[in-house]
Structure formats: structure tokens, C-alpha cells
């Protein structure tokens, strides 16, 4: 039997049980997030446990206890039991679909990890049944083509939202996922506080803290909004609830704008937490993950961004150094690079000022 070492866990593999070594970075970051939030002693559940690697790492590295490992495959359940024993860790292994478990279980969990094959949409509603005030809900989506607008109908079906299919699509996809979580949470009187939102490689990952209360849930939904984007000049706009200022035309080039959403327009990250993770992760996380966390930390907190190469192409002017554009804008507007794209900027400025800054760069 093949063995694999990841973090503090030693894992036996089975050809019939799914294991993706490329997701190590995601598991590193998730484990670190739990350590940085002080999850020691918290009760966790891995809704699609497969080899059990994630839950075992959470126990050994972040101190979670009484972790429940669920999987629908008998082979997976046997493998998890074996891996728990080999790692000298304790947990409850159950051969059940998550939905069935959540509908019959009377317990509440502090940490719920949803990392299925494809969309987490079918798990989120039932996750609320086993949540309490303060629960950390982690949801991974690998159906990024759907969330990025390559399959619009599937996005409508799974997430009740119209996706974007342009340079903003990864951020829009994350915001659609968050809005979907917030919408489901509200039905159970939970509001959400995003802790970490990541779009990387072929996945999107939203980590939120649930807060209980009817008014908290309503307040949370105020972050729900609609966006519109211009395919010609790369302008965009967004609004919370009230769409009265939305015209059909782009305010800059007068082309027809494309509507998308609903999406979460509030904050994507808890910057203080991200800062702690960067400090704790130095020397422990892979460079790629540290770079990603730093980009998230340094980013201006505003929905969407401007692609400088796309705008210069639209203007028909030569390409310009990104740092010059940022310097020009920073005199009057909060501006930064963005974790979503190396050649784009987030700024409080509108497209007219961005174009001015490009022309002066
Ligand atoms: Zn336009």
C-alpha cells in the first residue's frame, strides 16, 4: 500500500479512494487558519473525508477534537479508520452521505469542512443544521468553469446566480459562492463573516464564521448585490439591492452592460486573521501560499478590478508599467495590486481616472 506524508499526517492511500496531492497547499492554508483562530479543542467534521488526511491534519496540527469523518464509500471509511490508528489519533468514522447525517444528527460542530468533487452547493443548506453561533464553515468549489460563467445554466441551477464570463470571473465566482452561503445561512438565522476567500489553481474556497440571530442574518444579506460589466472598455459597476442608478449603458463608452449576480459585495477576508496567518506561516507554508496570502492582505478592499492590458488594448495605446499606473492613482485614491490577476489593479477610482493614470504612466 502506498504511503504519503503531508504536514504532520502520514497517510496510506488506496487506488479507489480519491486523493489529490496538489491540494496540499489548500490543506496547509486551512490547517494554518484553524491554528491562527485558536481552534484548539474545537469539534470538527469532514463532510467528504476520502483518505481522512484533512481531518487528521486538523487534529494533529490545530488540535481539533472529536472529529467526525464522513464518506459514502466503504473503502474510504476503512482507509480513514486505518489512517486514524496509524497516526495515533481518535475520530468517529461514519459511512453515510453528509445530507443524511446532517438531517439525523443532534450535535453541533465548531468547524465544518466541505470539499466535495465539484460543487459544494448541495451541502451548504444541510451544514446549517449542524452549525451553532461561531461555527467556522469551509467550502471548496472545484466547478470553477460553472462559477466563472462557462456554463451559465449550471451556475443558475447550482448557485441561483448569473455568473460573469470575463477577466473578473474568479472574483465574481467567489462572490457568488459567498452569496449562496449567506442566502442559505439566513434561512437558519445565521449571518456570515468571511474569514478567507481564495481563488487559486482550479478551485475556489470560502471560509466564513456563522453568527446566530435573525437581525444578524438580515444584516448579512444587505451585502448581497448585483454587478454589471462592460465587455468593450472593461468598466464595471455594482449595487447593493437598489439598482435604480443602473443604466443599461456603460457610463464611459455607452456600450450595453452585462448584468451578473446576485453576489456578496461585502468584505472577502478578515485581514487581521490573514496577517496572523502570514506571520505564523513564514517558513512553514509554501512560497506560493505565502505570496497569495500577502496579495490578499495588501489588496484594497473593494469589489472588482481593472485589467490594465485590456484597457490599453481598448484605448489602442502601448502597454504601461503597472507600478506607474498605481503611483499615479495613489495620489488621490486607495489603489493596490490584486490577488486575482497580476496585471490588474483594485482602486477606489472610476474608469475615467484609471484611463487618465494610464495615459500619464
Ligand atoms: Zn464601456
Amino acid at each position: 500500500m502506498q504511503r504519503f506524508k503531508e504536514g504532520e499526517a502520514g497517510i496510506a492511500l488506496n487506488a479507489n479512494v480519491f486523493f489529490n496531492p496538489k491540494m496540499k497547499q489548500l490543506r496547509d492554508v486551512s490547517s494554518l487558519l484553524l491554528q491562527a483562530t485558536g481552534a484548539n479543542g474545537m469539534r470538527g467534521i469532514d463532510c467528504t473525508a476520502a483518505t481522512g488526511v484533512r481531518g487528521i491534519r486538523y487534529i494533529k496540527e490545530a488540535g481539533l477534537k472529536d472529529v467526525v469523518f464522513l464518506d459514502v464509500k466503504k473503502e474510504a471509511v476503512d482507509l480513514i479508520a486505518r489512517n486514524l490508528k496509524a497516526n495515533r489519533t481518535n475520530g468517529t468514522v461514519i459511512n453515510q452521505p453528509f445530507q443524511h447525517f446532517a438531517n439525523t444528527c443532534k450535535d453541533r460542530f465548531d468547524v465544518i469542512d466541505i470539499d466535495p468533487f465539484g460543487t459544494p452547493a448541495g451541502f451548504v443548506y444541510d451544514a446549517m443544521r449542524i452549525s451553532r453561533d461561531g461555527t467556522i464553515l469551509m467550502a471548496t468549489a472545484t466547478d470553477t468553469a460553472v462559477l466563472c460563467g462557462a456554463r451559465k445554466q449550471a451556475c443558475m441551477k447550482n448557485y441561483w446566480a448569473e455568473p460573469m464570463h470575463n477577466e473578473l470571473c474568479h472574483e465574481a465566482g467567489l462572490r457568488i459562492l459567498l452569496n449562496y452561503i449567506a442566502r442559505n445561512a439566513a434561512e437558519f438565522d445565521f449571518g456570515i463573516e468571511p474569514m478567507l476567500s481564495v481563488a487559486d489553481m482550479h478551485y475556489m474556497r470560502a471560509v466564513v464564521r456563522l453568527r446566530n440571530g435573525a437581525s444578524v442574518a438580515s444584516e448579512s444579506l444587505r451585502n448581497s448585490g448585483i454587478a454589471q460589466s462592460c465587455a468593450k472598455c472593461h468598466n464595471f459597476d455594482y449595487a447593493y439591492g437598489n439598482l435604480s442608478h443602473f443604466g443599461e449603458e456603460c457610463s464611459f463608452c455607452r456600450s450595453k452592460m452585462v448584468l451578473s449576480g446576485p453576489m456578496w459585495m461585502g468584505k472577502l477576508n478578515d485581514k487581521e486573521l490573514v496577517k496572523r496567518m502570514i506571520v505564523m506561516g513564514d517558513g512553514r507554508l509554501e512560497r506560493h501560499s505565502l505570496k497569495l496570502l500577502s496579495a490578499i492582505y495588501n489588496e484594497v478592499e473593494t469589489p472588482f478590478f481593472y485589467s490594465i492590458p485590456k484597457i490599453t488594448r481598448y484605448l489602442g495605446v502601448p502597454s504601461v508599467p503597472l507600478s506607474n499606473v498605481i503611483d499615479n492613482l495613489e495620489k488621490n485614491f486607495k489603489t493596490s495590486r490584486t490577488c486575482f490577476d497580476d496585471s490588474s489593479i483594485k482602486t477606489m477610482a472610476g474608469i475615467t481616472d484609471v484611463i487618465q493614470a494610464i495615459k500619464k504612466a
Side-chain angles (χ1 to χ4, degrees):
M1 187 175 267
Q2 204 190 336
R3 299 202 151 269
F4 198 89
K5 173 94 176 136
E6 186 184 293
E8 288 182 25
I11 299 293
L13 303 178
N14 174 329
N16 296 321
V17 178
F18 184 74
F19 177 74
N20 185 355
K22 284 188 191 150
M23 292 301 239
K24 172 185 177 288
Q25 291 178 358
L26 176 62
R27 290 187 284 267
D28 290 346
V29 169
S30 303
S31 171
L32 186 71
L33 182 144
L34 292 176
Q35 294 168 55
T37 46
N40 192 17
M42 284 188 179
R43 177 140 206 245
I45 178 164
D46 187 343
C47 307
T48 49
T51 61
V53 60
R54 191 172 26 237
I56 292 172
R57 288 191 63 182
Y58 291 171
I59 295 170
K60 294 186 89 166
E61 296 168 21
L64 290 203
K65 65 167 195 184
D66 300 332
V67 174
V68 171
F69 296 78
L70 291 180
D71 206 286
V72 287
K73 267 193 176 180
K74 181 74 174 65
E75 277 169 305
V77 169
D78 293 342
L79 186 64
I80 297 162
R82 199 187 156 125
N83 281 330
L84 274 167
K85 205 172 166 193
N87 283 277
R88 296 201 173 93
T89 42
N90 293 315
T92 308
V93 191
I94 302 175
N95 189 193
Q96 249 177 29
F98 171 68
Q99 293 76 2
H100 180 78
F101 175 83
N103 280 279
T104 48
C105 164
K106 296 276 181 282
D107 293 342
R108 297 288 178 270
F109 291 83
D110 305 307
V111 177
I112 302 175
D113 200 318
I114 303 170
D115 187 4
F117 183 75
T119 176
F123 292 76
V124 171
Y125 183 85
D126 289 311
M128 301 303 159
R129 297 186 190 280
I130 54 167
S131 294
R132 60 160 185 78
D133 184 46
T135 289
I136 298 171
L137 178 73
M138 303 167 143
T140 308
T142 53
D143 59 335
T144 48
V146 171
L147 283 162
C148 286
R151 295 177 54 215
K152 275 196 176 194
Q153 287 305 319
C155 195
M156 286 300 293
K157 176 175 77 67
N158 290 346
Y159 300 99
W160 313 331
E162 192 79 37
M164 281 191 181
H165 195 40
N166 56 20
E167 67 272 18
L168 306 174
C169 68
H170 287 96
E171 181 174 342
L174 261 179
R175 292 183 181 279
I176 285 172
L177 176 59
L178 279 165
N179 193 69
Y180 181 82
I181 296 172
R183 182 61 261 176
N184 279 282
E187 288 194 39
F188 290 81
D189 278 345
F190 286 116
I192 69 164
E193 292 171 357
M195 299 170 77
L196 184 69
S197 305
V198 175
D200 191 26
M201 301 191 286
H202 298 294
Y203 70 84
M204 293 185 192
R205 172 90 153 165
V207 182
V208 304
R209 197 184 282 282
L210 299 175
R211 289 292 179 204
N212 192 218
S215 59
V216 190
S218 303
E219 196 57 41
S220 172
L221 286 182
R222 283 177 200 272
N223 289 289
S224 187
I226 296 288
Q228 58 180 0
S229 52
C230 175
K232 192 175 174 194
C233 78
H234 306 283
N235 190 10
F236 60 81
D237 196 3
Y238 63 92
Y240 299 88
N242 179 4
L243 307 179
S244 57
H245 82 280
F246 264 28
E248 287 231 317
E249 280 184 356
C250 169
S251 60
F252 186 75
C253 77
R254 301 292 160 204
S255 298
K256 196 170 185 296
M257 300 279 264
V258 181
L259 283 174
S260 315
M263 297 177 197
W264 176 265
M265 294 300 179
K267 288 184 177 182
L268 295 180
N269 300 288
D270 172 351
K271 291 280 185 89
E272 284 308 308
L273 171 65
V274 175
K275 193 176 168 182
R276 278 205 301 284
M277 289 174 69
I278 293 169
V279 173
M280 289 173 69
D282 192 18
R284 289 166 64 194
L285 281 183
E286 287 182 30
R287 263 170 74 110
H288 173 82
S289 303
L290 268 178
K291 204 179 143 204
L292 187 63
L293 288 177
S294 297
I296 289 171
Y297 181 71
N298 291 315
E299 188 174 84
V300 171
E301 199 107 42
T302 183
F304 306 120
F305 51 85
Y306 296 98
S307 163
I308 304 305
K310 285 199 189 296
I311 296 175
T312 52
R313 214 168 302 142
Y314 160 72
L315 295 171
V317 300
S319 61
V320 290
L322 194 69
S323 52
N324 291 10
V325 180
I326 294 176
D327 287 348
N328 289 343
L329 281 168
E330 263 185 336
K331 290 167 194 152
N332 297 306
F333 306 96
K334 274 173 90 174
T335 304
S336 71
R337 289 170 184 266
T338 169
C339 67
F340 294 105
D341 180 59
D342 285 341
S343 56
S344 297
I345 57 164
K346 277 191 179 269
T347 177
M348 304 310 279
I351 192 152
T352 311
D353 288 300
V354 171
I355 287 174
Q356 283 297 324
I358 287 172
K359 287 182 173 169
K360 280 193 228 156

